[in-house]
Amino acid sequence: MELRQLSYFVTVAEELHFGRAAERLHIVQSAVSQQVRRLERELGAELFDRSPRHVRLTAAGERLLPEAREVLAAAERARAAVRGRTTLRLGTSAGLGEHLDRVLGAFAEIAPGVAVELVSAPSRDRLAQVVDGRLDAAFVRSPEPAPGLRFLPLWEDPLLVAVPAAHPLAGQDAIALSELAALPLALTARRNNPALVDLVVGACHTAGFEPLPGPVGGSLQNTLAAIGLGSLWTVVYAAHARLLHSPRVAFRPVRAPGLALPTALAVRAAPMPATLEPFLKACEASMAGDASMVCASSMAGDASPVTHGGPTTPRATSNPVSSHHTPGP
């Protein structure tokens, strides 16, 4: 039995799709299938129920999954011990921007001997890696409850509206969502970021209209280029908008109550790694004095007063729109 085989097995178990597992592992699908088959032969049991329509774990596969995750986590701890230094492995989300800079700066002062390894991955992958111990913690937006995890509330990420600079709405200091009813909304597909899509579409419904469907998917740069050429709108995080400098696109705050997505830190429900306690102190220190952030002051040291296990939900906010992120899961 090889670590590679266990890693491939865990990835397929998380994706329940050999093709998506291969994409995530950056290898061809045949290599994933071959290694999983070898593992099944060594163990003398089928780990997956395969059919043209679905891939499911068998009873043997369900029993193996937590053990395989523990083996992979132990292997990572062994590598860290050999490297001779302590490392905090942290999953990051798109558009954390100055929030991440402040947290890492505070952490470097609190724990100067601890290295930080940043891992960028889709939200689902980040959470899976926290569960199995490959990550110590991960930033996530509006997470849903998940077995083996708890979520420590951090801050809110307000959103700006992006409209064509030549549109009359661009001349206003702030835009009411109802004023956008006649413009198509360019937004990612819901499967890519359900929290963001539900927040924006739900706010439109509250404002009394069904948003007109615009282009779905594509990069933010392409979406903004399309907005500059025609009558579309979308949402972006405020500080990222300041970095874009698009002369044909205007970024305006949404009139009160505004729009924002909460960000949380996902950690294992089991006892936290020792390196995570100073990181929680760094989160607290970085958020001190910032009115757009919400965090229990008792996070550091004893995380028990913080809301655990449940999601932090998207909601409207009356805070000024002044955060620093691109929409991302």
Side-chain angles (χ1 to χ4, degrees), residues 43-326:
L43 296 175
E46 294 286 329
L47 301 174
F48 294 102
D49 175 16
R50 303 167 176 85
S51 79
R53 292 191 174 184
H54 68 260
V55 175
R56 296 176 181 169
L57 282 167
T58 63
E62 290 177 351
R63 291 192 297 271
L64 177 62
L65 183 57
E67 303 297 333
R69 284 172 167 162
E70 287 296 329
V71 170
L72 293 173
E76 181 57 36
R77 289 193 296 270
R79 294 188 189 99
V82 171
R83 287 195 293 264
R85 64 174 183 173
T86 304
T87 300
L88 176 71
R89 295 157 298 169
L90 184 64
T92 60
S93 176
L96 287 172
E98 293 180 11
H99 281 307
L100 183 60
D101 290 340
R102 284 194 293 268
V103 170
L104 294 181
F107 184 64
E109 294 182 2
I110 295 171
V114 180
V116 179
E117 178 184 345
L118 300 179
V119 178
S120 178
S123 178
R124 178 177 55 183
D125 295 349
R126 293 197 304 274
L127 295 179
Q129 291 180 48
V130 173
V131 169
D132 65 27
R134 284 175 288 167
L135 290 177
D136 297 311
F139 292 105
V140 288
R141 291 193 179 93
S142 300
E144 296 293 331
L149 291 173
R150 55 179 173 166
F151 299 98
L152 311 182
L154 295 178
W155 54 72
E156 289 190 346
D157 291 325
L159 296 162
L160 296 181
V161 168
V163 297
H167 196 280
L169 290 175
Q172 301 181 178
D173 292 334
I175 297 175
L177 286 180
S178 59
E179 297 176 297
L180 298 166
L183 297 180
L185 170 61
L187 204 59
T188 186
R190 186 181 183 279
R191 65 178 179 274
N192 297 330
N193 194 341
L196 176 70
V197 174
D198 289 349
L199 173 66
V200 175
V201 174
C204 292
H205 292 167
T206 301
F209 71 98
E210 179 72 32
L212 298 175
V216 176
S219 67
L220 178 59
Q221 288 77 9
N222 289 344
T223 298
L224 293 178
I227 290 173
L229 292 173
S231 296
L232 294 171
W233 70 283
T234 192
V235 293
V236 297
Y237 292 106
H240 192 208
R242 289 195 290 272
L243 298 175
L244 293 171
H245 303 298
S246 178
R248 292 187 295 185
V249 178
F251 302 97
R252 297 291 181 266
V254 179
R255 287 183 186 163
L259 297 174
L261 283 174
T263 295
L265 189 70
V267 300
R268 295 181 74 183
M272 292 183 294
T275 52
L276 198 53
E277 184 171 331
F279 186 74
L280 297 180
K281 293 180 181 178
C283 288
E284 180 184 8
S286 71
M287 292 184 289
D290 189 334
S292 70
M293 298 178 181
V294 286
C295 177
S297 62
S298 57
M299 275 181 68
D302 180 6
S304 58
V306 183
T307 302
H308 296 160
T312 49
T313 55
R315 62 185 179 88
T317 175
S318 58
N319 292 336
V321 181
S322 59
S323 190
H324 315 284
H325 311 285
T326 54

